[in-house]
Amino acid sequence: MLGIDEIVTGGLCIGCGLCKSVAGAECIRMVTTPGGRERPVAVRPIPDEALATINAVCPGTQIEGARPETLPDDVETDPIWGPAVPSTLAIAHASDPVVRHRGAAGGVLTALGQYLLRSGEVELVLHVKASPDAPLRSLATVSETPEAVLEAAASRYGPAAVLEDLGGVLARGRRLAVIAKPCDIGAVRRLAEVDDRANELVRHCLTLACGGASDLGKSLDVLDRLGVREKDLRLFRYRGHGNPGPTRVETKDGRRFDLTYQEMWGDEAGWRVQSRCKICPDAIGEAADLVSADCWPGGAPEGEDEGFNAVLSRTRAGVRLFERAVADGALTVVRAIGFRDMDLFQPHQVRKKRAVWARLEGMRAAGMAVPKVQRLRIAELAAGNDEGVNEEEMLGAQQRASAGRLGEPPAGKGQVREERPEEKSAKS
Ligand SMILES: Cc1cc2nc3c(=O)[nH]c(=O)nc-3n(C[C@H](O)[C@H](O)[C@H](O)COP(=O)(O)OP(=O)(O)OC[C@H]3O[C@@H](n4cnc5c(N)ncnc54)[C@H](O)[C@@H]3O)c2cc1C
Ligand code: SF4
Ligand code: SF4
């Protein structure tokens, strides 16, 4: 069993906040580290039972694919992309032009969140939005209306502890959908195995394909480049309002800056992606009911378009939702696709899925703890790699781990969450 500090220093924490929800705010606080990561800190000893539950549900310790009993009869499991029903693989977008425009890509996740509320299937949608007071930061939010779901549309690439009050949300006793990153969704699924409320109330888990969550430092660097202080921000939108839409920065005194997707993300070395993301065995949401992804051939946009998503429906609940949303006009299907189209849209996911087993072996060889991975086919995929690939990945991970580059410093009690804007203003 790993302690919270060991999960963090071992580079396994992604900052979802579920451990805080499990142990309670009196035991665990989430802080923003100086490197710009959301991390848990134990402020008093965590009872053994709570720590055991955390180890069973934390996405740093356990990572699992879909539960077979949730999958429909006509599901096909692709070695890379996992389970999905081939007849529902599609390029699609929100039918509402406003949702399509404001969504990260085609607005599919927003349209589905709205559809679930309108149809009464769920009463709440748990997801993420920009903090109203500090728009560089991202907060968990519970939407009860389609308008509120739209308010939280589009991607938040920085840290977002979406599950830190999941217990509080479940205590409301209302049916809900969760829209979040694949690692967050995996954590919700495992919680449902040990918490009857989660099993009963979480009716849909929707996710995105995920290239990794950046440190907040990535976004602070952008502000520094533009000469903007965080406390002066009125808006920080990573994308959306187009596909991909500009990264838009607006200040309270009326200055406005737009960065293209290429300006923001063109240099992969500058993404400042968290350690857990580099060894992520499931960045494509195999535990979710449905996945909405970008669908640019080659993996990057060549310009702006009207907004499209590649959609994979995995479970019975996901297939039913997708088909009903299309039939009722919430989603528009443009064309059918196959798994090999997904390879073309997401070449980075294909590379990572094939490399992860060897990276984990490299960490293990360096004496680091690794998550328990189940039903994600990573060993089988590695076995099919060209000669030398696994050795190279393993050695690289072992060397990075031995040099301390896959771990991170412990988060400290003295670290804070929302005070960074004042820190920045004091500096400048
Ligand atoms: C960290 C990150 C990395 C990504 N990497 C890839 C990638 O490699 N390939 C790819 O195809 N797509 C990636 N995306 C997703 C992509 O940006 C689109 O969000 C996705 O295609 C869904 O588009 P949409 O129009 O359906 O989403 P929308 O309709 O705009 O809905 C997005 C939903 O996601 C929620 N959300 C946004 N950010 C977060 C977050 N950080 N944590 C939890 N929930 C959040 C919002 O609250 C909203 O409900 C990434 C997104 C994030 C946040
Ligand atoms: S990944 Fe989530 S549950 Fe695990 S230690 Fe980090 S914040 Fe806690
Ligand atoms: S790459 Fe994996 S661990 Fe990182 S944010 Fe995405 S789903 Fe989570």
Side-chain angles (χ1 to χ4, degrees), residues 125-141:
V125 175
L126 173 62
H127 54 152
V128 163
K129 69 174 183 184
S131 161
D133 305 324
L136 195 71
R137 320 270 162 155
S138 303
L139 301 175
T141 187

Side-chain angles (χ1 to χ4, degrees), residues 19-274:
C19 51
K20 175 181 166 190
S21 171
V22 168
E26 66 285 2
C27 279
I28 292 184
R29 266 183 64 194
M30 296 299 290
V31 300
T32 305
T33 68
R37 296 175 174 180
E38 296 270 291
R39 291 293 180 258
V41 176
V43 288
R44 63 165 73 155
I46 302 169
D48 287 349
E49 198 184 332
L51 193 58
T53 304
I54 290 168
N55 272 261
V57 301
C58 165
T61 56
Q62 307 276 341
I63 308 167
E64 295 174 0
R67 294 213 319 268
E69 64 274 20
T70 64
L71 301 175
D73 292 341
D74 50 351
V75 77
E76 206 174 281
T77 298
D78 182 74
I80 298 284
W81 291 97
V85 172
S87 62
T88 64
L89 285 178
I91 303 289
H93 59 80
S95 301
D96 180 336
V98 175
V99 175
R100 186 181 187 188
H101 180 67
R102 285 175 56 178
V108 162
L109 293 175
T110 300
L112 290 175
Q114 293 182 316
Y115 179 77
L116 285 167
L117 287 174
R118 285 197 180 109
S119 64
E121 281 188 62
V122 304
E123 299 161 280
L124 310 172
V125 175
L126 173 62
H127 54 152
V128 163
K129 69 174 183 184
S131 161
D133 305 324
L136 195 71
R137 320 270 162 155
S138 303
L139 301 175
T141 187
V142 178
S143 295
E144 301 189 38
T145 64
E147 295 73 27
V149 176
L150 181 60
E151 279 302 304
S155 303
R156 301 292 305 171
Y157 287 100
V162 63
L163 305 179
E164 69 174 309
D165 188 32
L166 182 57
V169 179
L170 295 172
R172 295 169 68 177
R174 297 170 73 188
R175 301 182 305 280
L176 73 143
V178 182
I179 305 178
K181 302 186 301 298
C183 49
D184 304 319
I185 296 298
V188 173
R189 294 297 202 203
R190 285 184 301 285
L191 185 72
E193 287 176 20
V194 297
D195 182 330
D196 289 343
R197 295 173 313 168
N199 189 36
E200 164 64 21
L201 295 172
V202 179
R203 298 295 171 91
H204 291 275
C205 285
L206 312 181
T207 197
L208 32 94
C210 180
S214 302
D215 297 344
L216 197 67
K218 159 77 185 163
S219 314
L220 287 163
D221 285 350
V222 170
L223 292 192
D224 285 346
R225 242 193 299 153
L226 298 174
V228 171
R229 298 178 303 183
E230 191 185 350
K231 77 173 180 85
D232 295 334
L233 279 180
R234 199 186 71 78
L235 175 84
F236 192 101
R237 187 170 65 225
Y238 288 90
R239 61 181 282 188
H241 289 241
N243 184 32
T247 297
R248 174 156 297 179
V249 176
E250 287 177 12
T251 60
K252 291 173 189 159
D253 62 5
R255 286 172 293 153
R256 192 170 96 179
F257 307 88
D258 280 351
L259 277 73
T260 65
Y261 189 89
Q262 280 308 326
E263 285 167 337
M264 185 73 185
W265 303 109
D267 172 19
E268 193 169 338
W271 285 5
R272 296 178 68 160
V273 162
Q274 304 196 25

Side-chain angles (χ1 to χ4, degrees), residues 14 181-183 210 212-213 276-277 280 282-283 352:
I14 189 60
K181 302 186 301 298
C183 49
C210 180
R276 165 65 174 79
C277 303
C280 188
D282 181 27
K352 183 148 78 177

